[in-house]
């Protein structure tokens, strides 16, 4: 038997997902020839390699004009940026990685214009459908005009050939439409033998839970939907493929059987399942992260599992509401040793949170094993991070800890049932800073019952700790499905909006604390304010990339809208002035830009804190909005008095050379 475990588009192509690799390991142990296929990575490589498409007639005029202007620049931008992300072009300055990443993101914006109304980014696929609405999802799977469907059609024959089963893992909402589109394509392409068997699972399916059973048309897109952990189902897969095992006898499944939707009993995984060594061999080596990085499970679920705002640790429908499955330090060391043997230099522990004592024990064990592997982890901010312990973390390779601080006010932490105290935070941050362990801080504003004064106190705390917190991810509260607030909204003074069917979070109003609109407005202001303080982390530390993935409630200075930004220009800048019917050149700072210095199209209104230096590479705009080119032309014409068509011709010529273009200056003036 042959099985394919697939990660569908669209998510960040930085590291492979752990779930399909776990299931691949189990199926290989059962004698099935199982392979991992990263269609997400394949899609990104395909998308950036496609010839540019003209924007359709219904696209906004500004978007179409910008795409046409920049079309000739995209290939050179990609050729320069992608090798930096893949580690094929060694860089000593981490800032170059950030510029390459932003440059590539802008190339996606230009390429997406040809697929309007769809938009592709490095970690998302946006379109005219709502993934919380089952009818929209079903229509989207039949819409062949989206770029993910176009890519899937190119690989479908190879997926079908000689395959007995396909497992599709949908971990993010951005993978819902592509993943279910693939399931539909496979189902429609197979013959009378009904091969391959089509299975769909992953974090999104688990959070949908039993709600999915209410929508038979969606259930019919695949043969089996698996909620919960795939390990529970894996032993039955050979029998399911062969037709020897009835669906009703296998736990954790939702399936259409003889025209009826069947929901089988739920069962949690065992600790033995959690500690099976995951086979990390034969994986793609061209992920878009300079230092090769792989995920390692430090356990399943959250050992605290009581936060009132969180629904991710609650496995819906299972008899044990808290399905925490820890793993031993011995297992972790053996798994990391296996990963290191594949030539991997960094691992990310994927569990929801790690105890201080577990991080300490892992650090000591790795130090004894002399493994030259760095690791990053999520941790709860609890007592147990003294300076000496943090120093051991660093010496053993711990480079980053992501803490869920949430609030700097104890009363709010009690409302959240966080089980931590803000009194501990300064000591934890001081210990990590002294040891050289970087910190990402997660904060949550707008929880029911919080006041604006308390939210302001949290923001001040973040600002005061700016030397110790590498980057804050500041979120605004929403009601996650299956969270305690969702299950008992009245207890928190909340009134919930309707669920359109498969929402992962719900709108709400609250009578406790400040209003939802006021909280969101404050949050937006706080994000902009903190963005000015912390800047762009990707311009200085690519190690943060896997931790900045937007989630259902995650939004920070880089995850909501790009805030208005300013550029600190290098003193070596050239400019032009419109005079006597033509552009004439001026120079600032005593000279031209260095030979070979090709940086980016820069709009002073949309960039901040970018050091412009000569890297000898051609990069596309660091930050593109649909109105960027129109804004540059309009401002250039207003400042210089030149006709707009002359400004457009100048922009085209400069972009073709990869030269920096900035309209206006920090000191103002009439030149651009």
């Amino acid at each position: 038997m042959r099985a394919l475990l697939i990660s569908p588009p669209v998510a960040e192509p930085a590291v492979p997902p752990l779930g399909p690799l776990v299931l691949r390991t189990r199926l290989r142990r059962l004698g099935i020839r199982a392979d991992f296929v990263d269609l997400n990575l394949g899609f990104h490589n395909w998308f950036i390699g496609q010839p540019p498409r003209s924007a359709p007639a219904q696209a906004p005029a500004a978007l179409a004009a910008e795409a046409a202007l920049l079309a000739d620049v995209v290939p050179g931008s990609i050729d320069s940026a992608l090798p930096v992300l893949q580690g094929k072009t060694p860089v000593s300055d981490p800032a170059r990685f950030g510029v390459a990443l932003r440059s590539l993101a802008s190339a996606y914006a230009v390429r997406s214009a040809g697929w309007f109304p769809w938009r592709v980014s490095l970690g998302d696929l946006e379109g005219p459908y709502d993934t919380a609405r089952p009818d929209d999802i079903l229509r989207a799977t039949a819409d062949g005009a989206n770029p993910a469907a176009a890519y899937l059609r190119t690989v479908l024959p190879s997926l079908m050939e000689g395959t007995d089963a396909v497992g599709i893992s949908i971990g993010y909402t951005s993978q819902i439409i592509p993943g279910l589109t693939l399931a539909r394509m496979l189902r429609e392409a197979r013959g009378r033998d009904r091969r391959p068997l089509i299975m769909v699972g992953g974090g999104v399916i688990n959070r949908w839970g039993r709600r999915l059973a209410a929508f038979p048309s969606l259930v019919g897109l695949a043969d089996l939907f698996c909620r919960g952990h795939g390990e529970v189902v894996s032993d039955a897969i050979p029998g399911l493929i062969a037709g020897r095992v009835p669906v009703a006898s296998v736990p954790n499944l939702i399936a259409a059987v003889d025209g009826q939707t069947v929901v089988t009993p739920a069962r949690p995984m065992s600790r033995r399942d959690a500690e099976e060594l995951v086979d990390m061999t034969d994986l793609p080596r061209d992920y878009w992260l300079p230092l090769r990085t792989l995920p390692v499970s430090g356990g399943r679920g959250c050992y605290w599992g009581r936060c009132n705002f969180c629904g991710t640790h609650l496995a819906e429908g299972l008899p044990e509401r808290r399905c925490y499955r820890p793993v031993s330090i011995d297992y972790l060391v053996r798994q990391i040793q296996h990963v290191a043997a594949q030539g991997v230099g960094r691992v990310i522990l994927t569990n929801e949170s790690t105890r201080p004592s577990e991080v300490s024990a892992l650090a000591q064990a790795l130090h004894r094993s002399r493994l030259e592997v760095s690791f990053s982890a999520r941790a709860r901010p609890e007592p147990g991070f003294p300076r000496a312990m943090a120093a051991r973390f660093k010496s053993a390779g711990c480079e980053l800890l992501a803490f869920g601080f949430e609030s700097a006010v104890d009363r709010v932490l009690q409302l959240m049932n966080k089980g931590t105290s803000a009194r501990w935070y300064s000591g934890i941050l001081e210990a990590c800073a002294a040891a050289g362990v970087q910190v990402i801080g997660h904060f949550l504003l707008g929880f029911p019952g919080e006041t604006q004064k308390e939210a302001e106190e949290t923001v001040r705390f973040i600002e005061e700790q700016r030397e110790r917190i590498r980057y804050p991810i500041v979120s605004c509260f929403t009601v996650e499905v299956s969270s305690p607030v969702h299950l008992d909204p009245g207890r928190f003074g909340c009134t919930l909006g309707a669920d359109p069917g498969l929402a992962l979070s719900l709108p709400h109003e609250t009578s406790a604390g400040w209003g939802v609109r006021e909280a969101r407005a404050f949050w937006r202001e706080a994000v902009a304010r903190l963005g000015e303080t912390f800047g762009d982390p990707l311009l200085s530390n690519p190690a943060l990339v896997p931790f900045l993935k937007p989630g259902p409630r995650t939004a920070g200075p880089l995850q909501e809208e790009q805030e208005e930004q300013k550029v600190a220009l290098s003193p070596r800048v050239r400019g032009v002035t419109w005079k006597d019917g033509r552009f004439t050149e001026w120079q600032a700072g005593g000279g031209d830009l260095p030979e070979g210095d090709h940086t980016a199209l820069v709009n002073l209104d949309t960039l901040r804190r970018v050091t412009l230096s000569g890297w000898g590479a051609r990069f596309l705009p660091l930050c593109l909005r649909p109105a960027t080119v129109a804004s540059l032309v309009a401002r250039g014409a207003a400042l210089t008095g030149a006709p707009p068509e002359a400004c457009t011709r100048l922009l085209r010529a400069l972009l073709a050379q990869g030269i920096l273009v900035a309209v206006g200056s920090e000191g103002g003036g009439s030149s651009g």
Side-chain angles (χ1 to χ4, degrees):
M1 292 181 180
R2 179 176 184 249
L4 299 180
L5 289 312
I6 292 174
S7 176
V10 175
E12 288 181 349
V15 295
L18 185 60
L21 302 180
V22 171
L23 191 54
R24 181 184 73 161
T25 300
R26 296 296 297 266
L27 295 182
R28 285 180 173 179
R29 181 174 60 79
L30 294 170
I32 295 178
R33 184 161 55 93
D35 294 308
F36 169 63
V37 181
D38 198 331
L39 294 185
N40 176 55
L41 178 62
F43 168 78
H44 283 285
N45 288 327
W46 173 85
F47 186 76
I48 62 172
Q50 290 296 293
R53 294 161 47 117
S54 299
Q58 67 268 29
L63 180 64
E66 183 168 83
L69 180 67
L70 299 174
D72 294 339
V73 189
V74 168
S77 172
I78 292 171
D79 290 345
S80 294
L82 189 55
V84 174
L85 267 63
Q86 294 175 329
K88 296 176 181 178
T89 300
V91 292
S92 57
D93 182 359
R96 184 172 176 185
F97 171 88
V99 174
L101 187 63
R102 293 297 180 217
S103 173
L104 202 56
S106 295
Y108 273 73
V110 174
R111 285 283 166 83
S112 291
W115 297 91
F116 184 85
W118 295 89
R119 182 179 180 274
V120 180
S121 66
L122 281 162
D124 203 0
L125 173 69
E126 299 173 275
Y129 301 99
D130 184 351
T131 55
R133 299 182 178 278
D135 289 346
D136 263 24
I137 296 173
L138 195 63
R139 284 194 295 270
T141 63
D143 182 351
N146 81 72
Y151 166 69
L152 293 173
R153 285 192 292 270
T154 69
V155 299
L156 185 64
S158 64
L159 301 179
M160 295 286 297
E161 187 175 355
T163 304
D164 299 294
V166 170
I168 302 169
S169 179
I170 299 177
Y172 300 103
T173 54
S174 55
Q175 294 177 303
I176 291 173
I177 291 173
L180 294 182
T181 297
L182 175 59
R184 183 173 192 149
M185 287 179 173
L186 289 166
R187 193 175 182 96
E188 292 175 351
R190 65 187 181 183
R192 293 182 179 179
D193 61 356
R194 297 177 60 82
R195 296 290 179 91
L197 179 77
I198 304 164
M199 305 173 291
V200 180
V204 169
I205 308 304
N206 191 36
R207 295 193 64 195
W208 282 351
R210 296 175 64 94
R211 290 181 296 162
L212 177 61
F215 308 102
S217 296
L218 279 186
V219 174
L221 293 176
D223 296 308
L224 306 170
F225 282 85
C226 175
R227 58 198 176 103
H229 298 113
E231 295 92 328
V232 177
V233 178
S234 61
D235 287 349
I237 288 177
L240 289 168
I241 294 173
R244 299 190 307 268
V245 174
V247 169
S249 67
V250 181
N252 293 6
L253 294 183
I254 299 175
V257 179
D258 297 329
Q260 300 293 320
T261 300
V262 173
V263 180
T264 65
R267 181 164 67 83
M269 70 184 299
S270 67
R271 179 162 181 168
R272 178 185 62 83
D273 289 332
E275 289 202 345
E276 183 162 11
L277 197 69
V278 180
D279 183 0
M280 296 287 188
T281 60
D282 307 323
L283 296 180
R285 303 185 68 88
D286 57 345
Y287 285 99
W288 296 9
L289 203 58
L291 181 61
R292 195 169 178 225
T293 304
L294 288 179
V296 169
S297 174
R300 303 299 179 86
C302 174
Y303 68 87
W304 175 251
R306 303 169 196 166
C307 295
N308 287 328
F309 55 79
C310 185
T312 58
H313 60 270
L314 300 177
E316 185 177 340
L318 296 179
E320 295 181 33
R321 295 292 291 169
R322 292 172 56 205
C323 295
Y324 174 56
R325 293 293 179 268
V327 298
S328 67
I329 297 300
D330 176 67
Y331 164 79
L332 271 178
V333 172
R334 286 188 292 112
Q335 183 67 70
I336 294 174
Q337 285 173 332
H338 169 69
V339 168
Q342 315 309 314
V344 173
R346 180 194 294 134
V347 299
I348 298 173
L349 299 186
T350 61
N351 44 310
E352 291 288 330
S353 59
T354 310
R355 286 186 172 93
S357 59
E358 292 171 338
V359 179
S360 179
L362 175 60
Q364 293 180 48
L366 291 177
H367 184 73
R368 288 193 300 268
S369 66
R370 301 182 183 276
L371 285 173
E372 295 185 2
V373 176
S374 62
F375 73 94
S376 305
R378 297 179 177 90
R380 277 174 53 80
E382 299 177 347
F385 280 97
R387 183 173 299 199
M389 183 182 291
R392 288 199 298 272
F393 297 170
K394 181 65 175 180
S395 65
C398 179
E399 64 179 5
L400 183 145
L401 292 172
F403 289 103
F405 294 115
E406 314 306 349
S407 174
V409 180
D410 278 344
R411 192 188 78 86
V412 178
L413 292 172
Q414 291 167 5
L415 290 174
M416 295 176 174
N417 197 27
K418 181 69 181 177
T420 59
S421 171
R423 298 190 306 273
W424 306 335
Y425 293 174
S426 293
I428 292 170
L429 290 169
E430 181 183 353
C432 290
V437 176
Q438 296 190 80
V439 169
I440 285 182
H442 291 263
F443 296 88
L444 180 61
L445 303 180
F447 189 81
E450 181 188 51
T451 65
Q452 181 169 344
K453 182 179 178 181
E454 290 168 328
E456 180 63 44
E457 189 172 338
T458 295
V459 174
R460 281 199 305 271
F461 171 82
I462 299 171
E463 292 173 327
E464 290 166 359
Q465 296 292 335
R466 59 185 175 274
E467 299 301 323
R468 297 171 177 173
I469 297 176
R470 180 65 190 82
Y471 187 67
I473 297 179
V474 183
S475 308
C476 191
F477 174 76
T478 60
V479 179
E480 286 194 12
V481 169
S482 294
S483 69
V485 177
H486 171 238
L487 298 176
D488 189 6
R491 181 160 67 95
F492 299 91
C494 287
T495 303
L496 304 184
D499 180 0
L502 294 173
L504 300 185
S505 62
L506 300 175
H508 73 287
E509 296 293 337
T510 179
S511 59
W514 51 350
V516 173
R517 292 175 181 81
E518 292 80 4
R520 185 161 289 273
F522 176 86
W523 167 70
R524 290 183 184 276
E525 293 175 2
V527 165
R529 177 169 142 192
L530 293 170
E532 290 294 331
T533 300
F534 287 88
D536 187 338
L538 299 181
L539 291 178
S540 59
N541 193 343
L544 304 186
V545 174
F547 290 89
L548 297 180
K549 173 68 184 179
R553 64 180 185 89
T554 305
L558 293 176
Q559 296 172 337
E560 165 73 11
E561 298 176 357
Q562 283 278 358
E563 301 299 325
E564 291 300 309
Q565 303 173 0
K566 293 274 180 92
V567 169
L569 287 175
S570 160
R572 300 170 62 85
V573 178
R574 290 188 298 185
V576 293
T577 301
W578 182 261
K579 187 177 181 180
D580 299 329
R582 65 187 181 90
F583 283 110
T584 57
E585 182 178 328
W586 56 262
Q587 301 178 9
D592 293 342
L593 293 170
E595 183 68 26
D597 182 89
H598 304 295
T599 49
L601 165 67
V602 179
N603 184 336
L604 286 178
D605 290 336
T606 54
L607 287 177
R608 166 185 66 237
R609 294 185 181 179
V610 179
T611 300
L612 303 172
S613 57
W615 290 325
R618 295 174 59 181
F619 290 114
L620 206 63
L622 299 175
C623 179
L624 272 180
R625 292 175 177 173
T628 300
V629 168
S631 172
L632 282 170
V633 169
R635 292 192 65 196
L639 286 169
T640 65
E645 57 271 20
C647 292
T648 301
R649 288 195 300 271
L650 176 65
L651 274 177
R652 187 184 299 275
L654 293 174
L655 286 169
Q657 301 175 57
I659 291 177
L660 161 71
V661 179
V663 174
S665 67
E666 293 282 43
S670 61
S671 57

